[in-house]
Amino acid sequence: MNTPDRPAAVPNDTRSPNSLTPSRRGVLRAMAALPASAVLLGALPGTLGSALAAAPPRGSATRYTIMPFLNSTDATVNVYESDDATDFRLVKASAYTPPANRIRDASIFRHSDGYYYVTYTTHTWQDTSTTIGFARSSDRVNWTFLYDYTVPIANLSRAWAPEWFVDSDGSVNIILSCSTTNDQWIFTPYRLRATNSALTAWSSPVALSGIGANHIDTFIVKLGSTYHAFTKNETTKYIEYATATALNGPYTIRRTGNWAGWGSTREGAALIQLDNGAWRIFFDGYGDGSYYYSDSYDTFTTWSAPKRLPSISGTARHFTVLKETVSGGVNLPANVSRSLRSANYTTRYWQEQSALLNLPVVSSTSSAAEKQAATFTVVPGLADAGGYSFRNAAGNYLRHWDFRARFDTNDGSSTFARDATYIARTGTASGSVRFESYNYPGYYLRHYSYQLRVDPTDGSDVFRQDSSFVPANPL
């Protein structure tokens, strides 16, 4: 709250989303993405499901990694990471530059040998591109070139947007978009399967049946026995949705046109499952130069209105997402009383005032009533025991309503439980914590004009500071 008159970014919705039920320079440009579940403590990419739909364990953190090339160059890629899949921060610029050619559409996953691998498009969109590249890293940041692989398709013109997919049988696959010389701009999705654990030998390419030609950037996740494919129709410029019971198909196109409300001139779909169980899709709005995300709470049936990613939209291009659970996260003891102090306004604390949560000055000389109103019991999250909820002395819980933080009686509903649950993320100052809304991913408890509200991150340092609080012993 360095400038108290800053306008708060608040959407028009008044309830939580689950309670409401040229980039190609005028021609095609591919974009791949990773079914992001290469989890250090969990599953492999491709086989996603409810196992990932939970807040990270105490002392652990969720980490999302992307490796985009930039608007300014496709000669190198940066590495960014995020703990909420919304606010991505630079880890290393120019983290990998191939020894020759280009790097576009980089797809990253963590293999069973403990290394990170990236595969990528090796040429710019104007040029013939019959190879895909491979590199390896032990830490996601420092990369070593492995080899370029010539995709064995007769009369191949372009092999674009290779993407890792690990199936439930453990097989490591790449889904990529290919065109031939008879029509270099008509792409078909193909599958390559690794035939050794070193990822140096591959099966013959097999076209995915049922999706058909003139589809590009096909992205697949598997839930149970069903494969869900998101693929761009290059005629209509919409992202379509298809399903199959086998990775090779046949797929049935289930949704076409503007079925999800994302609009046209969208491509490069990439899906991950968030900590609260929602599915998030990222896509490139190449028509307006922005990067977007949208969430689904009903397994791909309906989607929230697309929003631009803060910080990197318009800069980062064609990224993929790797989700991991890593050590070093917040370990806030539960079932204990705490006062919570602003990390950047160090004399101010959370305090309940007429059922609303505000941020007044509270000190050792404050009255007993003021101190009690600034003391709360931290309990396991009502909607997810890996998250946190906060209870006042009267037994009411901190929840958001119209994006204002307030205390209400628990009515036992799932909506209330989600409104009153927060996922702990590491804050900006030592010992500080940020509390992300469980049912509004990317929205945080933050102070504004000394009031606590739930607002969407804008990717700025000021917002991160305003949303960081230090748990302290009761005043």
Side-chain angles (χ1 to χ4, degrees):
M1 195 176 336
N2 297 337
T3 50
D5 291 332
R6 285 196 313 276
V10 182
N12 293 325
D13 297 344
T14 59
R15 291 302 319 127
S16 54
N18 56 298
S19 67
L20 303 173
T21 301
S23 70
R24 294 191 192 234
R25 297 171 177 84
V27 295
L28 302 177
R29 184 181 62 79
M31 174 175 178
L34 173 68
S37 64
V39 183
L40 292 177
L41 306 178
L44 290 170
T47 55
L48 299 180
S50 59
L52 294 181
R58 301 283 192 263
S60 297
T62 302
R63 184 175 71 190
Y64 303 89
T65 302
I66 63 174
M67 291 182 62
F69 70 92
L70 307 180
N71 267 332
S72 57
T73 181
D74 59 4
T76 189
V77 290
N78 292 350
V79 173
Y80 298 81
E81 69 181 27
S82 171
D83 56 7
D84 59 13
T86 306
D87 183 6
F88 286 92
R89 307 174 213 181
L90 181 67
V91 178
K92 185 177 181 179
S94 299
Y96 173 62
T97 301
N101 302 316
R102 303 292 180 172
I103 177 168
R104 302 168 69 92
D105 322 330
S107 179
I108 177 176
F109 94 117
R110 190 170 190 259
H111 192 25
S112 57
D113 63 4
Y115 283 94
Y116 297 90
Y117 289 81
V118 66
T119 182
Y120 53 91
T121 303
T122 57
H123 290 77
T124 193
W125 64 269
Q126 301 101 323
D127 298 336
T128 298
S129 182
T130 59
T131 61
I132 55 177
F134 291 86
R136 188 176 73 171
S137 171
S138 62
D139 59 7
R140 304 172 304 132
V141 177
N142 301 290
W143 292 85
T144 301
F145 172 74
L146 295 178
Y147 64 98
D148 285 340
Y149 176 74
T150 300
V151 179
I153 293 177
N155 302 314
L156 180 64
S157 175
R158 286 165 172 79
W160 282 359
E163 163 189 321
W164 298 108
F165 180 90
V166 180
D167 210 338
S168 54
D169 62 2
S171 63
V172 178
N173 304 272
I174 289 175
I175 308 298
L176 74 163
S177 301
C178 295
S179 68
T180 54
T181 53
N182 63 311
D183 197 331
Q184 61 183 339
W185 303 122
I186 300 297
F187 285 80
T188 298
Y190 283 82
R191 171 199 182 188
L192 300 175
R193 180 176 55 83
T195 57
N196 66 5
S197 60
L199 307 180
T200 57
W202 301 90
S203 66
S204 298
V206 176
L208 301 187
S209 172
I211 293 179
N214 210 31
H215 285 83
I216 196 170
D217 299 349
T218 300
F219 182 95
I220 299 172
V221 295
K222 185 180 184 183
L223 295 177
S225 60
T226 302
Y227 297 84
H228 302 260
F230 294 78
T231 183
K232 182 194 177 189
N233 183 314
E234 266 300 334
T235 299
T236 66
K237 311 300 182 184
Y238 289 111
I239 296 172
E240 299 182 340
Y241 169 62
T243 61
T245 57
L247 180 54
N248 288 350
Y251 287 84
T252 300
I253 303 291
R254 304 289 183 183
R255 298 287 186 271
T256 61
N258 194 26
W259 64 279
W262 301 324
S264 186
T265 62
R266 306 293 191 242
E267 63 185 12
L271 279 78
I272 55 170
Q273 192 171 29
L274 302 176
D275 287 342
N276 70 348
W279 286 92
R280 173 161 293 183
I281 188 171
F282 300 89
F283 53 84
D284 185 355
Y286 66 93
D288 57 24
S290 298
Y291 234 105
Y292 293 94
Y293 69 93
S294 174
D295 296 341
S296 175
Y297 286 81
D298 52 14
T299 316
F300 315 140
T301 301
T302 60
W303 295 84
S304 65
K307 295 182 179 180
R308 289 179 174 85
L309 277 172
S311 302
I312 62 171
S313 180
T315 299
R317 302 309 307 263
H318 211 151
F319 65 76
T320 70
V321 186
L322 168 67
K323 180 181 180 181
E324 302 174 278
T325 299
V326 298
S327 61
V330 174
N331 190 6
L332 183 62
N335 299 310
V336 296
S337 295
R338 289 288 184 266
S339 295
L340 288 109
R341 174 174 56 81
S342 168
N344 59 346
Y345 278 71
T346 57
T347 62
R348 293 180 176 270
Y349 289 78
W350 289 12
Q351 187 184 76
E352 180 187 4
Q353 297 178 345
S354 301
L356 298 176
L357 187 62
N358 294 321
L359 196 76
V361 174
V362 186
S363 70
S364 59
T365 61
S366 298
S367 69
E370 289 175 321
K371 292 177 182 178
Q372 182 179 29
T375 301
F376 311 96
T377 302
V378 182
V379 299
L382 298 182
D384 184 329
Y388 296 91
S389 294
F390 301 90
R391 190 175 62 226
N392 67 8
N396 296 327
Y397 287 86
L398 177 67
R399 58 90 62 93
H400 61 83
W401 180 269
D402 288 355
F403 300 100
R404 186 69 163 88
R406 56 175 295 122
F407 286 87
D408 283 324
T409 302
N410 183 2
D411 63 11
S413 68
S414 61
T415 294
F416 186 95
R418 288 174 173 262
D419 284 356
T421 299
Y422 301 88
I423 298 177
R425 311 294 191 192
T426 301
T428 57
S430 177
S432 67
V433 183
R434 303 175 70 207
F435 295 102
E436 183 186 16
S437 170
Y438 187 77
N439 55 356
Y440 262 81
Y443 284 61
Y444 286 83
L445 281 170
R446 59 85 63 98
H447 63 79
Y448 179 81
S449 293
Y450 307 123
Q451 298 177 346
L452 272 293
R453 53 185 306 112
V454 173
D455 282 342
T457 178
D458 61 10
S460 69
D461 289 338
V462 169
F463 185 95
R464 295 173 194 136
Q465 294 163 8
D466 285 356
S467 58
S468 295
F469 302 93
V470 179
N473 290 328
L475 289 162

